Amino acid sequence: MARRERCYLSAALSCTLLVSCLLFSAVGRALGRPYMDELFHLPQAQRYCRGRFDQWDPMITTPPGLYLVSVGVVKPAVWIFGWSEHVVCSIGMLRFVNLLFSVGNFYLLYLLLCKIQHRNKAVTGVQRILSALTLAVFPTLYFFTFLYYTETGSVFFTLFAYLMCLDGNHKTSALLGFCGIMFRQTNVVWAAFCAGSVLAQKVTEAWKTELQKKKEERLPYLKGPVSELRKSLRFLLGYVGSAKNLRTLVLLTWPYVLLVSLFAAFVVFNGGVAVGDRSSHEACLHFPQLFYFFSFTLFFSFPHLISPKKVRTFLQSAWKRRARYVALTAVSLFLVWKFTYVHKYLLADNRHYTFYVWKRVFERYSVVKYLLVPGYVFAGWSIAESLKSKSTFWNLMFAVCVAAGTVPQRLFEFRYFILPYVIYRLNIPVPSVPKLLCEFGLYVAINFVTFYLFLHKTFRWPNSEDVQRFMW
């Protein structure tokens, strides 16, 4: 790293930390009591802080990773500074743990961008730092930095595991993946993603060798996305079907295989994925979650995904391959018709933005959910186009992981899209500085509105004296 780039990175980290500390102070002053899910998380962490590891709130559905790490971070202050247990295990101290995770996320995002984009010599240090800064303040993630939720720590350990995977430290990566699962069970998907990255790299190398042989032998090669996908799948099945190749892949990915196997054993033993209240977290085939993710990604990455040229290219592609797009639209309409679910939490809580999205968009007119399908198709196409620099096998693996991480979720919740979005954004070509500034400006504006509403536009429910706040 050049000296100038180090200075820029340090300045960006310092400024972000300063702003985060000011926001943290404002949230702490306005919110001196546990709010929303903190009503379960904070008391549980305080029990652990007092050494009561045998007590567990049955309403908590995630593993105890957040509480264990929090105790490990704040408890030494009792011995080092002589602080009382009341201070060390206070709401403010426990929330501060997520602020530390947020700083770590910024640095990990920068390191991942350096690692993923290292072959592109045209990318400057300013672009890398600005990309990392933009993702560090990604609104849906950044908001939970200031509450005692699992999101920030979950992203930290998953990104750390991904970085170690790219460095070839697969045992460390699997261990960090386990830490991520201890924050949120669905992170097992991204541990599998790390294994899939290794597999995709090996298969891509073999596929390139195969294509070179065909070129030298002057064998015909059919072009086109569908024919290429079909040939790639056939090659993948053949490659994995070889005992020698399979043995090589297992030796490379065995830490992830062991981790996923242990998680599967936990699910069988536990009787489900959720730790506590499983009645409200039942898995289902909620295929429209993919469409919601496409829309979410299109909105937050619109400087990179939407332009007159891209819209024109999409329309030309749709006209040229009319039958294919008609079939794709028909399948999407069927999935929306038969597999749309509305969770009871979505309709019961008017503090979340998803409540208003659902009420004012999807429920206003029943036909709206079908009219949005062409937009979903465009969003999916645009996302696929932005990942053309990645190999076919990487794209297949990423698509499977996104589906596995979103489709089983019955609840429409923006938080479920954080990790797939961040990993997607890390792997597209680094945008130009003007586009990055546009994206950063969008995120800052959304964060400003979000915190303004959260801190100043409070309201009360008719049957409760508690102050309610809008949030993601």
Side-chain angles (χ1 to χ4, degrees):
M1 193 193 308
R3 181 178 178 183
R4 181 178 295 181
E5 189 171 347
R6 287 199 299 269
C7 292
Y8 288 160
L9 179 62
S10 299
L13 272 168
S14 300
C15 291
T16 305
L17 179 59
L18 175 61
V19 172
S20 296
C21 287
L22 293 173
L23 273 174
F24 183 83
S25 177
V27 172
R29 287 195 302 270
L31 205 63
R33 299 169 58 188
Y35 185 68
M36 291 288 290
D37 290 1
E38 287 187 325
L39 291 168
F40 309 109
H41 293 312
L42 283 167
Q44 186 62 48
Q46 288 169 340
R47 290 186 199 104
Y48 277 27
C49 220
R50 293 191 293 269
R52 297 177 183 174
F53 295 97
D54 57 332
Q55 296 181 1
W56 182 260
D57 187 338
M59 293 302 294
I60 297 175
T61 59
T62 52
L66 175 62
Y67 322 127
L68 293 170
V69 171
S70 299
V71 172
V73 170
V74 303
K75 197 69 173 177
V78 174
W79 312 310
I80 297 173
F81 303 110
W83 293 350
S84 68
E85 191 175 276
H86 176 73
V87 172
V88 168
C89 301
S90 66
I91 294 174
M93 283 292 289
L94 291 171
R95 285 177 179 163
F96 188 74
V97 172
N98 274 341
L99 193 61
L100 299 178
F101 278 134
S102 181
V103 175
N105 283 336
F106 188 154
Y107 191 56
L108 286 172
L109 287 165
Y110 172 77
L111 294 177
L112 280 164
L113 283 163
C114 291
K115 193 71 180 177
I116 294 169
Q117 309 290 347
H118 72 283
R119 292 184 180 178
N120 189 351
K121 303 300 181 183
V123 176
T124 64
V126 172
Q127 285 175 281
R128 285 191 291 266
I129 293 168
L130 193 51
S131 289
L133 172 62
T134 302
L135 284 173
V137 298
F138 174 53
T140 315
L141 171 62
Y142 189 63
F143 177 82
F144 292 102
T145 297
F146 307 96
L147 296 177
Y148 196 64
Y149 273 57
T150 60
E151 271 65 36
T152 315
S154 165
V155 170
F156 174 83
F157 282 108
T158 302
L159 291 180
F160 205 168
Y162 187 27
L163 179 64
M164 291 297 100
C165 172
L166 294 178
D167 277 336
N169 299 322
H170 300 302
K171 294 177 185 176
T172 305
S173 176
L175 180 60
L176 290 165
F178 170 77
C179 294
I181 294 169
M182 288 295 287
F183 276 70
R184 291 190 76 87
Q185 300 93 312
T186 51
N187 286 341
V188 70
V189 170
W190 302 107
F193 169 81
C194 291
S197 299
V198 179
L199 187 148
Q201 182 180 359
K202 297 298 291 184
V203 177
T204 299
E205 291 170 359
W207 178 236
K208 287 180 178 178
T209 303
E210 181 72 14
L211 291 179
Q212 186 62 34
K213 286 181 182 178
K214 288 184 178 182
K215 186 177 179 181
E216 291 174 356
E217 296 172 9
R218 298 188 177 182
L219 294 175
Y221 177 70
L222 297 175
K223 293 185 177 180
V226 175
S227 60
E228 183 180 352
L229 179 61
R230 188 164 54 244
K231 285 179 173 291
S232 300
L233 283 171
R234 192 181 302 127
F235 179 80
L236 176 62
L237 292 174
Y239 185 87
V240 175
S242 166
K244 180 182 177 182
N245 294 334
L246 187 61
R247 180 174 176 273
T248 301
L249 292 174
V250 170
L251 288 175
L252 279 172
T253 61
W254 71 263
Y256 308 110
V257 174
L258 178 61
L259 178 60
V260 174
S261 300
L262 289 173
F263 180 80
F266 158 76
V267 172
V268 173
F269 176 78
N270 187 56
V273 174
V275 174
D277 179 23
R278 289 192 286 272
S279 62
S280 301
H281 296 82
E282 296 176 348
C284 65
L285 291 176
H286 194 178
F287 289 109
Q289 288 277 30
L290 281 174
F291 304 145
Y292 307 150
F293 172 70
F294 293 162
S295 305
F296 179 89
T297 303
L298 188 72
F299 175 78
F300 282 105
S301 284
F302 87 87
H304 323 311
L305 298 181
I306 301 177
S307 68
K309 182 180 178 181
K310 285 200 171 185
V311 173
R312 188 166 56 250
T313 303
F314 169 73
L315 293 174
Q316 290 171 348
S317 175
W319 178 253
K320 186 177 179 180
R321 302 177 176 88
R322 293 184 292 276
R324 188 178 301 165
Y325 278 87
V326 168
L328 181 60
T329 303
V331 171
S332 300
L333 287 167
F334 175 78
L335 293 177
V336 169
W337 175 42
K338 286 293 186 182
F339 294 95
T340 296
Y341 297 96
V342 184
H343 198 284
K344 60 183 180 181
Y345 286 175
L346 178 62
L347 301 178
D349 198 334
N350 65 344
R351 292 170 293 184
H352 291 291
Y353 295 159
T354 47
F355 173 89
Y356 298 96
V357 171
W358 194 264
K359 281 286 186 182
R360 296 180 182 180
V361 177
F362 292 96
E363 279 201 347
R364 175 162 292 185
Y365 302 103
S366 59
V367 74
V368 166
K369 62 183 179 182
Y370 302 110
L371 293 177
L372 290 173
V373 166
Y376 299 151
V377 174
F378 170 73
W381 173 87
S382 189
I383 292 167
E385 283 291 301
S386 65
L387 289 171
K388 286 180 72 174
S389 59
K390 311 299 288 187
S391 71
T392 303
F393 303 105
W394 189 96
N395 277 288
L396 279 170
M397 175 266 304
F398 179 67
V400 169
C401 288
V402 170
T406 58
V407 169
Q409 308 282 358
R410 181 180 289 266
L411 178 63
F412 173 35
E413 173 66 78
F414 289 138
R415 288 184 294 162
Y416 298 153
F417 303 148
I418 293 174
L419 269 170
Y421 177 81
V422 170
I423 291 174
Y424 157 78
R425 181 61 182 73
L426 284 169
N427 282 280
I428 65 173
V430 177
S432 63
V433 171
K435 288 185 177 181
L436 286 170
L437 288 173
C438 180
E439 183 183 34
F440 179 69
L442 171 70
Y443 289 5
V444 169
I446 293 173
N447 280 327
F448 177 83
V449 172
T450 301
F451 283 105
Y452 177 78
L453 292 174
F454 183 76
L455 294 173
H456 301 292
K457 294 297 180 180
T458 58
F459 62 100
R460 296 180 189 273
W461 286 338
N463 58 344
S464 174
E465 292 298 319
D466 294 334
V467 174
Q468 308 301 334
R469 302 172 185 273
F470 297 108
M471 61 184 290
W472 285 102

